Amino acid sequence: MLLEGKKVLVAGVANRSSIAWAVAEAVLREGGQVALTYQNQRLEQRVRDLAQSVDPHLPCYELDASSSEQAAEVADMLAKEWGVLDGLVHSIAFAPKEDLTPGILKTSLDGWNTALHISAYTLLELTRAMMPLLEKSESGSVLTLTYDTGKVYPNYNVMGVAKAALEAAMRYACWDAGRKQVRVNAISAGPIKTLAARGISGFGNMLDEGSRKSPLGRNVTAEEVGNTAAFLLGPASSGITGQVVFVDAGQSIMGVPAAATTA
Ligand code: 0WD
């Protein structure tokens, strides 16, 4: 039990395929308690139904991560519900399709601002709002989700830039939060078929190429990401902060697929 008695807020569940949902399931499996947030009323019923399927009393709050007012409200509600927060999961990203697809040189300033605001700045927004509760924990831990920022993936475009900003923001937040004994890390997940992934054109090819490139010969599952998340959220990882941990079946270490170098 990696998270016995630990209280974790998970932001970014859209449906059953969401990485955030796999993280929530792993937290529960490891003995922790979970509260979920949903972005808006469009997603509310789906997220509440998921919550109900594991625990009828699981707290669910509305939270558009771009709203500091809503973030403060959720912090207030958690203060009443739990009084402390041991883990915060930021599993949120968005870029307008018309700015994501055509290529980075065609990204509008508005599209750039939206992508970096929602996909990177909101990590800081949520961490700031939850800090008073995280500081009360003996093992406060914040976790975000990124994707292999050291490389260029055609079609990932402005989202790749946003993820690079997210990773830098994660490291600076790690510095700010560290003296309060709150850790901040990121998981760089391999490609997984989710709602957000479907917005990236050619995602099917990323999955195919990824599994061909991978030393393990396959892609990762959301469950594998959830398991690593449970480790990073809990006291077993108490010495790890400011890191990007790759959960990608080794894909990121490879240049070209093995097939390309064999006759
Ligand atoms: O291959 C993948 N799926 C990978 C995803 C590989 C590596 C990293 N990631 C990252 C994503 O970039 C994201 O940061 O993992 C995180 C979770 O993404 P996901 O699980 O792949 O996708 P999804 O289930 O769609 O969850 C992302 C959710 C949004 O869903 P939709 O698709 O409806 O936009 O982020 C949420 C929203 O629910 N979201 C917001 N939540 C609160 N406030 C906001 C917002 N403003 N915008 C988006």
Side-chain angles (χ1 to χ4, degrees):
M1 289 287 180
L2 290 167
L3 291 166
E4 189 77 64
K6 300 291 179 191
K7 297 172 169 58
V8 180
L9 177 67
V10 179
V13 176
N15 62 21
R16 190 173 284 283
S17 318
S18 295
I19 293 173
W21 180 244
V23 173
E25 286 189 306
V27 171
L28 293 169
R29 207 164 45 236
E30 293 297 334
Q33 284 173 260
V34 167
L36 297 179
T37 67
Y38 51 89
Q39 183 188 348
N40 51 34
Q41 284 168 6
R42 183 178 57 87
L43 294 178
E44 177 172 4
Q45 202 49 53
R46 207 184 300 154
V47 174
R48 285 197 185 278
D49 288 348
L50 276 177
Q52 283 273 330
S53 71
V54 291
D55 175 359
H57 303 296
L58 197 139
C60 291
Y61 308 115
E62 182 168 336
L63 173 58
D64 184 320
S66 64
S67 161
S68 35
E69 292 79 18
Q70 278 188 6
E73 280 166 24
V74 171
D76 281 350
M77 288 188 277
L78 281 177
K80 290 194 188 94
E81 180 81 21
W82 286 341
V84 63
L85 191 63
D86 301 295
L88 165 65
V89 179
H90 171 275
S91 187
I92 289 171
F94 176 75
K97 181 94 176 148
E98 61 275 19
D99 290 290
L100 184 61
T101 308
I104 196 71
L105 295 181
K106 294 191 174 144
T107 302
S108 70
L109 180 57
D110 277 352
W112 170 283
N113 287 341
T114 300
L116 271 82
H117 180 186
I118 303 303
S119 311
Y121 183 76
T122 56
L123 172 68
L124 305 179
E125 185 83 72
L126 296 195
T127 304
R128 181 168 47 239
M130 302 304 154
M131 261 320 267
L133 291 171
L134 288 162
E135 282 173 28
K136 291 187 183 160
S137 167
E138 285 170 3
S139 60
S141 177
V142 178
L143 184 65
T144 188
L145 272 299
T146 184
Y147 183 68
D148 202 11
T149 56
K151 300 192 187 72
V152 169
Y153 290 91
N155 298 337
Y156 205 49
N157 302 327
V158 70
M159 189 54 79
V161 177
K163 291 299 190 191
L166 174 71
E167 289 182 17
M170 177 276 292
R171 283 186 284 273
Y172 278 92
C174 160
W175 170 248
D176 276 13
R179 299 302 161 96
K180 309 267 171 65
Q181 299 307 310
V182 174
R183 299 180 294 113
V184 189
N185 290 291
I187 288 178
S188 186
I192 297 169
K193 213 185 272 178
T194 62
L195 215 54
R198 271 191 247 143
I200 299 160
S201 57
F203 185 78
N205 294 339
M206 278 169 89
L207 279 175
D208 291 347
E209 278 302 304
S211 69
R212 284 206 295 144
K213 243 170 70 160
S214 158
L216 296 182
R218 63 173 177 83
N219 286 297
V220 286
T221 62
E223 188 182 350
E224 288 175 307
V225 175
N227 289 340
T228 303
F231 165 69
L232 288 172
L233 287 166
S237 61
S238 59
I240 301 176
T241 193
Q243 301 303 314
V244 177
V245 177
F246 284 79
V247 183
D248 67 347
Q251 289 170 17
S252 54
I253 66 160
M254 299 301 293
V256 291
T261 57
T262 50

